[in-house]
Amino acid sequence: MKKIVVLGSTGTIGRGVLDIVRAFPHDFKVVGLTTNTNIKLLKEQAAEFKPLDTGIGEKDLMKIATMKEADIIIVAVVGLSGLLPTLAAIRNGKDIAIATKEVLVVAGELVMKEVKKYNVHIIPIDSEHSAIFQCLRSGEGKEVNKIILTMGKGKIAAMKKEDLSSVTLEQITDRSVWKMGDKITIDSATCLNKSFEVIEARWLFDIKPSKIHIVVHPEYICHSMAEFVDGSIISEMGTPDMKRYIQFALFYPERKKMCVTQGIDITDKTLSFEKAPYDKFPGLKLGFDAIKKGGTMPAVMHGADESAVQAFLLKKITFVDISLIIQKTMKAHKVIQNPTLDKIISAEKWGQAYAKKLIDKKI
């Protein structure tokens, strides 16, 4: 029986994890749960799963992340609050199932060094990275020619470039697939989320940026691919349901029959792929720019995005201003190479502050 801790058990991913535990009660034991603010739901979860300990707010994350009884820590908290607990869990020899993208976006190089040092596994829950993780099991690292991240094509992507400045939050959140919170939905619309995924992939799979490619896949059936040196392309396909990826991460390296979501009938399905819209969405290039500069640049990019998205939500800036603010913030930053954790966190805060200045000055 695998003993698990869920950091962020009351969020979407955390609740999905507990759905899997309910479906496989003889395979998992919940030993720790945390929430940021949803205390009522945490109490209900604790009554049902009877963990050894629970935590509320960032102050308790470290304590729960380092529980000696745990085999695997599911990191599903919001934002940078997941960084220090993830590092602490790794240093305590715990395997990590990670859904909090900020951990690898902001400090991916540092985190992966610790993963190797302490000889633990880090299994992605994010759909594209889980897909690639699974595809790469078909060969060795030296046999990989490139990895191919897929991105969808929603209503915003179908708009003309000249119409993007008038895009509203209501238009962005009107999605038929992958229902998410406002922040990640906006990042998906600007393509910043895909840029973050490029940074994650760089460190998670220890792959050169030149070997990371992006294609548009409107049907949301293929969730990413890996091409090997012999020309073979391995893809991961299935229903766009995060519970598939959560289950894979929890059972890794085993597989079990899925019983909490439906499979997909590929009969009569169409698969199409298009070139990534770099010209229409400049945010799509920023992840490559960040990892090319290296050091503290990914942290600055993330910080600037935090401020820009918040300003858009407050209707202080337009949709197209988001990427522009991030670009200008990155251009102004003097990169620190091989940064310490403190330098990384400081750089992220600097990115937030500089972007806010641009916003206040009306860019």
Short mmCIF file of all heavy atoms in Angstrom, two decimals, residues 1 54 161 163 192 308 314:
data_model
loop_
_atom_site.label_atom_id
_atom_site.label_comp_id
_atom_site.label_asym_id
_atom_site.label_seq_id
_atom_site.Cartn_x
_atom_site.Cartn_y
_atom_site.Cartn_z
N MET A 1 0.84 -1.20 0.00
CA MET A 1 0.00 0.00 0.00
C MET A 1 0.88 1.25 0.00
O MET A 1 1.76 1.39 0.84
CB MET A 1 -0.93 0.01 1.21
CG MET A 1 -1.83 1.23 1.29
SD MET A 1 -3.03 1.17 2.64
CE MET A 1 -4.23 0.01 1.98
N THR A 54 -2.96 16.95 9.24
CA THR A 54 -3.47 17.89 8.24
C THR A 54 -2.81 19.25 8.47
O THR A 54 -2.27 19.52 9.55
CB THR A 54 -5.01 18.06 8.31
OG1 THR A 54 -5.36 18.57 9.60
CG2 THR A 54 -5.71 16.75 8.05
N LYS A 161 -5.58 38.53 -35.70
CA LYS A 161 -4.62 39.18 -34.82
C LYS A 161 -5.06 40.58 -34.43
O LYS A 161 -4.92 40.99 -33.27
CB LYS A 161 -3.25 39.24 -35.51
CG LYS A 161 -2.14 39.77 -34.63
CD LYS A 161 -0.79 39.70 -35.34
CE LYS A 161 0.31 40.20 -34.42
NZ LYS A 161 1.65 40.12 -35.08
N ASP A 163 -7.92 41.68 -33.91
CA ASP A 163 -9.07 41.69 -33.00
C ASP A 163 -8.70 41.31 -31.57
O ASP A 163 -9.54 41.41 -30.66
CB ASP A 163 -10.15 40.73 -33.51
CG ASP A 163 -10.74 41.19 -34.84
OD1 ASP A 163 -10.77 42.41 -35.08
OD2 ASP A 163 -11.16 40.31 -35.63
N LEU A 192 1.07 31.91 -22.86
CA LEU A 192 2.11 31.90 -21.82
C LEU A 192 2.15 30.55 -21.12
O LEU A 192 3.24 30.08 -20.72
CB LEU A 192 1.85 33.01 -20.81
CG LEU A 192 2.67 34.29 -20.96
CD1 LEU A 192 4.15 34.03 -20.78
CD2 LEU A 192 2.41 34.96 -22.31
N ALA A 308 0.91 40.95 -14.76
CA ALA A 308 0.18 41.30 -15.97
C ALA A 308 -1.22 40.68 -16.00
O ALA A 308 -2.20 41.34 -16.37
CB ALA A 308 0.98 40.88 -17.20
N LEU A 314 -8.24 43.10 -13.59
CA LEU A 314 -8.74 44.36 -13.04
C LEU A 314 -9.06 45.37 -14.15
O LEU A 314 -9.40 46.53 -13.85
CB LEU A 314 -7.71 44.96 -12.08
CG LEU A 314 -7.44 44.14 -10.81
CD1 LEU A 314 -6.29 44.75 -10.01
CD2 LEU A 314 -8.69 44.05 -9.94
#
